[in-house]
Amino acid sequence: MTAEADAHTHAHARTVLAKAADENFPVAPRFLPRVWRDDLMAVYGFARLVDDIGDGDLAPGGRDAAYLGLGGEQQEDRLALLDAFEADLHRVFRAPGAADAPPGEEPGHPLLRALVPTVHRHGLTPEPFLGLIEANRQDQKIRRYADFGELLAYCELSANPVGRLVLALTGTATPERIRRSDAVCTGLQIVEHLQDVSEDLARGRVYLPAADMARFSVTEADLAAPTANASVRTLIAFESERARQLLSEGGPLVDSVSGRLRLLLAGFVGGGRAALRAIRSAGYDVLPGPPASTKRGLLREVGTALRREG
């Protein structure tokens, strides 16, 4: 690879990783040890890229498809991209931990190459990564969810693997912590769905359970309106309470660890709670766009998480 091509590759990867600043919670804050930050960002790069593939949000120009060995019409075929991304992921687990992997074994995508040392350092398994890919495949095929149980099954693929990876990276996974982590991650996923109702609808997706929409007499036409009517606001308040309960169920995870990891997990829980507070402050009208939480609000909720679970 030429120096110019290498520079373009690194710039492309940095563009994806920069999206971490837009998340509801700090992905890899500076108070963490450098190796933890590097590992968390490697996992984030994977998760962000697979979501971008599933949402059709890849950078223009087809660079990601080229890294995965695809060209022509396949550059726009999300399922083909996900299949190629999964094949490249398997190279992560076949590649040696060193950067000089044998030809044909090193992943083609730079964000997956960056994941190789993390996987080998911690003995990670493919399952959580495959779950995230499968969630994005499901997004191409399933656009509506009949009830809350179906949505929870989706979150098992789309959200819970991330928390399990965090525990694996920090060497703190236990059955109880995994259970609490799953509750936090599912709660965070529901919060994101509530923030993105209009954006998801524009993509042809509705993550509000159909049974709940019927219960509160909400139609998809209501969700397409510029602002929420009383029925939509009541529905969003109902789903917000579900998310709050999940975050509370997972909250003791914060107190089960110590040191800087405790601060990180409090950031996840506090970020979700701050987003819920912003939704409530907006009168549960999420249709104009995601109600934004403030930095002060986030810090307040992180402090609350540390005290409440401490």
Side-chain angles (χ1 to χ4, degrees):
M1 182 181 292
T2 67
E4 183 179 1
D6 190 53
H8 283 304
T9 295
H10 286 297
H12 183 75
R14 287 195 299 270
T15 298
V16 176
L17 296 175
K19 296 180 181 181
D22 298 326
E23 303 293 344
N24 283 326
F25 47 84
V27 173
R30 292 189 178 276
F31 62 74
L32 294 177
R34 176 62 181 270
V35 68
W36 280 16
R37 297 202 310 271
D38 290 346
D39 288 336
L40 287 168
M41 287 306 293
V43 168
Y44 175 79
F46 171 91
R48 181 68 270 162
L49 184 62
V50 74
D51 279 354
D52 286 350
I53 293 173
D55 290 340
D57 285 341
L58 294 176
R63 185 177 291 270
D64 292 290
Y67 288 139
L68 298 173
L70 299 181
E73 294 181 358
Q74 288 184 312
Q75 293 184 17
E76 305 297 329
D77 186 332
R78 297 182 194 179
L79 287 173
L81 283 163
L82 289 169
D83 288 346
F85 194 61
E86 180 174 320
D88 212 31
L89 171 68
H90 286 298
R91 295 187 186 99
V92 171
F93 292 90
R94 293 198 300 267
D100 55 346
E105 291 299 314
E106 187 180 34
H109 200 289
L111 288 173
L112 289 180
R113 290 199 295 272
L115 189 61
V116 171
T118 295
V119 163
H120 285 264
R121 184 159 44 242
H122 299 282
L124 302 180
T125 63
E127 285 72 24
F129 300 99
L130 292 172
L132 294 172
I133 293 174
E134 189 57 35
N136 279 275
R137 279 203 189 95
Q138 185 167 313
D139 278 335
Q140 312 312 310
K141 304 171 185 178
I142 299 175
R143 304 292 180 135
R144 306 290 186 275
Y145 292 85
D147 54 37
F148 192 57
E150 284 192 3
L151 187 63
L152 290 179
Y154 170 75
C155 293
E156 179 68 22
L157 295 172
S158 68
N160 297 358
V162 176
R164 297 183 183 198
L165 283 167
V166 170
L167 294 177
L169 292 178
T170 56
T172 55
T174 67
E176 177 63 12
R177 285 179 181 143
I178 289 171
R179 185 179 74 82
R180 298 288 189 183
S181 171
D182 285 353
V184 170
C185 290
T186 294
L188 290 172
Q189 179 75 89
I190 292 172
V191 170
E192 183 176 337
H193 289 160
L194 297 179
Q195 292 175 311
D196 295 340
V197 168
S198 295
E199 179 181 332
D200 289 335
L201 186 63
R203 299 180 190 275
R205 302 174 190 159
V206 177
Y207 292 105
L208 299 169
D212 298 341
M213 290 178 63
R215 174 181 176 182
F216 294 104
S217 301
V218 172
T219 67
E220 290 191 19
D222 294 328
L223 300 181
T227 59
N229 62 26
S231 295
V232 171
R233 291 171 188 254
T234 303
L235 171 61
I236 298 301
F238 176 77
E239 304 298 351
S240 295
E241 177 59 20
R242 277 179 160 165
R244 188 198 66 77
Q245 289 176 3
L246 283 162
L247 292 174
S248 294
E249 179 184 340
L253 175 66
V254 174
D255 198 39
S256 74
V257 298
S258 60
R260 286 177 280 190
L261 177 58
R262 187 165 181 261
L263 287 174
L264 176 68
L265 299 183
F268 294 163
V269 173
R273 289 173 174 165
L276 286 174
R277 180 182 289 272
I279 290 172
R280 186 178 67 188
S281 296
Y284 300 104
D285 185 4
V286 296
L287 299 188
S293 57
T294 64
K295 184 174 182 180
R296 177 179 294 181
L298 172 61
L299 292 174
R300 180 172 59 243
E301 292 297 340
V302 170
T304 299
L306 289 168
R307 290 192 300 273
R308 187 175 297 168
E309 273 66 69

